Amino acid sequence: MRIGIVMVKEQMSFAQRHLSATTESLKALGCAESDIKIISSPTVLNVPLTTQFFAEYTEVDAVIVLVEPSQSREYETMLYGITRLQMTWNMPVLVGDCTAAEQAVEMVRTQSEMEAAAPDYVNTDHKSVN
């Protein structure tokens, strides 16, 4: 299980407060330290593109975005972009704090179980569905 973590520079103190707990949770849930990739995004608005970089250029199974929730337009725009990415890339993306680690692992396991249970005759490129 490979997990990407996005830290937002404009919220770096929030991200740093949660990074250690997030990585420790992931390791406790079975993710090897070498399979945890961390990258930073300049702003909340850049998070969808940074997440897409994870999807395109790495082999991560899910991404956790360490960002503080808000009612701002930037936060809502980020959530919209992330939702579109999840559907396009068929990859779980969780937003929040260190508690997102458990959700990320659960989503990766659910996806793996469903793929394993799919009939052999189904040979569909899930990314082309959207």
Side-chain angles (χ1 to χ4, degrees):
M1 187 171 359
R2 297 166 306 257
I3 307 291
I5 299 175
V6 176
M7 298 174 64
V8 181
K9 287 183 180 178
E10 68 182 6
Q11 291 191 11
M12 194 53 79
S13 83
F14 177 87
Q16 288 176 336
R17 283 195 316 270
H18 293 277
L19 181 61
S20 178
T22 302
T23 56
E24 291 304 314
S25 291
L26 288 170
K27 289 190 281 187
L29 293 164
C31 189
E33 188 169 352
S34 62
D35 288 331
I36 300 170
K37 308 297 180 200
I38 302 168
I39 193 167
S40 61
S41 178
T43 68
V44 170
L45 287 174
N46 296 123
V47 167
L49 186 56
T50 304
T51 304
Q52 184 173 333
F53 292 160
F54 261 128
E56 284 185 20
Y57 305 123
T58 72
E59 296 292 324
V60 297
D61 300 307
V63 173
I64 298 169
V65 180
L66 296 177
V67 64
E68 193 167 17
S70 76
Q71 299 297 319
S72 71
R73 183 179 310 218
E74 291 83 3
Y75 184 80
E76 296 297 322
T77 301
M78 177 202 67
L79 291 178
Y80 176 76
I82 285 174
T83 300
R84 290 184 53 102
L85 280 171
Q86 288 185 96
M87 302 308 292
T88 301
W89 287 93
N90 199 21
M91 181 180 71
V93 180
L94 292 300
V95 177
D97 57 18
C98 56
T99 61
E102 187 173 336
Q103 295 171 37
V105 169
E106 184 177 345
M107 289 301 297
V108 169
R109 288 184 178 149
T110 299
Q111 184 177 23
S112 295
E113 289 170 6
M114 293 184 78
E115 286 175 350
D120 290 338
Y121 63 86
V122 176
N123 189 12
T124 305
D125 178 3
H126 296 287
K127 291 180 182 169
S128 70
V129 171
N130 298 309

